[in-house]
Amino acid sequence: MSDLVVIVYSTEARAEEMRQKLIGLQKEYLIEIGDAAIAVMHEGGKVKLNQLLNTTAMGAVSGSFWGLLIGAIFLMPIFGAALGAASGALGGALTDYGVDDKFMKDLSTSLQPGNAALFVLVNKVTGDKVLEAIRGTGGTVLKTSLDRSQEQKLRDALADAHSAAPATQTPPEPYSQGTGAPTPVG
């Protein structure tokens, strides 16, 4: 089963940086990503999607190959490649892979102009190692399909390292250090 995680960043560059970090973690076999798309809210309320995979281009390349192969059999390789590319591009454009485009656009309408949402479809994850790798990177969790405890761990990991520091410090001693019985301070 896959989990969906949507994290909002202040800029598209920051969201892309985080996507590249997750792709790097995937190369280390710590996470398996089904899809990772970025939705950016522009001035005027227009949402732009930046997909990880361009299905139209993939369809055109695949269609060209098969069209060329079939065209070569019937002694018309150029016509076959052109027809294959066109039909592959059309098929790719009609295919929606990963996170639903309409869902991403609808959810992104709540963003402020200039903000970007990173949509990640996670197939498998080594939770503790991935959380450690993204600790303190910022971002705000907008939506997840994780359970409450996992979502809270994610929120804590994304929290700014500066805001987490005071919580880990030990409180000052309530008593002065002298000889004999402790004396209250203050």
Side-chain angles (χ1 to χ4, degrees):
M1 185 173 103
S2 298
D3 287 309
L4 175 68
V5 177
V6 183
I7 304 170
V8 178
Y9 292 96
S10 58
T11 64
E12 182 178 7
R14 187 73 181 116
E16 181 61 41
E17 181 182 319
M18 193 62 190
R19 177 165 64 173
Q20 292 307 315
K21 184 176 200 100
L22 291 174
I23 290 170
L25 292 172
Q26 181 169 265
K27 289 177 183 175
E28 296 176 25
Y29 301 101
L30 297 176
I31 189 170
E32 184 181 309
I33 299 170
D35 192 14
I38 296 173
V40 182
M41 174 60 82
H42 290 288
E43 296 293 333
K46 185 167 171 85
V47 176
K48 179 189 92 171
L49 295 180
N50 179 351
Q51 303 276 8
L52 186 61
L53 296 173
N54 185 341
T55 55
T56 304
M58 284 179 26
V61 169
S62 172
S64 294
F65 171 75
W66 289 108
L68 179 66
L69 185 63
I70 292 169
I73 293 171
F74 294 107
L75 301 174
M76 294 187 300
I78 304 297
F79 178 72
L83 185 62
S87 61
L90 178 63
L94 298 175
T95 302
D96 190 14
Y97 174 78
V99 183
D100 182 55
D101 291 356
K102 183 178 178 344
F103 171 76
M104 287 190 286
K105 286 185 176 185
D106 289 346
L107 192 59
S108 298
T109 58
S110 64
L111 298 176
Q112 296 295 320
N115 286 358
L118 174 61
F119 291 78
V120 182
L121 193 60
V122 179
N123 295 335
K124 294 179 188 174
V125 65
T126 306
D128 56 337
K129 291 183 178 183
V130 171
L131 289 176
E132 186 60 36
I134 65 170
R135 185 161 310 285
T137 56
T140 304
V141 176
L142 181 62
K143 188 171 188 70
T144 73
S145 63
L146 302 171
D147 65 38
R148 292 189 201 294
S149 66
Q150 290 175 321
E151 184 175 333
Q152 189 58 48
K153 287 178 184 177
L154 176 61
R155 288 179 192 276
D156 293 344
L158 291 173
D160 189 16
H162 299 296
S163 64
T168 61
Q169 293 177 347
T170 57
E173 290 291 322
Y175 298 103
S176 66
Q177 304 229 351
T179 56
T183 311
V185 175

